[in-house]
Amino acid sequence: MDIKGLPSDVISPVLTDRTQSVLPSGHASGSELPDFSRVLTTAMDKVNELQQSASVKMHEVDTGASQDLLGTMISTQKASISFQALLQVRNKAVAAYEEIMRMQI
């Protein structure tokens, strides 16, 4: 394989040394890995749980049932950051799908 700008002696060790598994430890074969939809569903459930928890804490602070404003703000920020991360994953998945659909076969 010839890669523009790289001599073949530099890239050949990378191409030939593929004996190590790229799977996480504990997953020796691909059959043990969860499918993408399960991972995505789990992530969405976790984000939903964080958002509901933040909403409950905000309601408690609003009604005076709790004085934990700092905990509420931290919970709200966790929910916001996790939602933004999930949104970026969705955007990348949509972009990958659109790229595949643009391919000519």
Side-chain angles (χ1 to χ4, degrees), residues 1-13 15 18:
M1 174 182 225
D2 185 30
I3 297 179
K4 187 176 180 180
L6 287 176
S8 62
D9 61 328
V10 171
I11 196 70
S12 63
L15 295 175
R18 292 186 176 197

Side-chain angles (χ1 to χ4, degrees), residues 79-90:
S80 176
I81 290 169
S82 65
F83 181 75
Q84 291 297 320
L86 184 63
L87 190 61
Q88 290 300 317
V89 169
R90 181 204 58 113

Side-chain angles (χ1 to χ4, degrees), residues 58-72:
M58 285 182 0
H59 180 70
E60 288 174 351
V61 168
D62 288 346
T63 59
S66 173
Q67 298 296 320
D68 187 20
L69 184 60
L70 180 61
T72 302

Side-chain angles (χ1 to χ4, degrees), residues 23-91:
L23 300 175
S25 62
H27 294 292
S29 67
S31 63
E32 298 175 7
L33 291 175
D35 60 348
F36 181 73
S37 64
R38 186 173 298 141
V39 171
L40 195 58
T41 301
T42 303
M44 289 190 310
D45 290 343
K46 181 66 176 172
V47 169
N48 187 36
E49 178 184 314
L50 288 171
Q51 288 182 332
Q52 287 178 352
S53 173
S55 178
V56 166
K57 287 183 179 184
M58 285 182 0
H59 180 70
E60 288 174 351
V61 168
D62 288 346
T63 59
S66 173
Q67 298 296 320
D68 187 20
L69 184 60
L70 180 61
T72 302
M73 294 305 295
I74 290 172
S75 179
T76 303
Q77 286 301 311
K78 281 183 182 179
S80 176
I81 290 169
S82 65
F83 181 75
Q84 291 297 320
L86 184 63
L87 190 61
Q88 290 300 317
V89 169
R90 181 204 58 113
N91 290 343

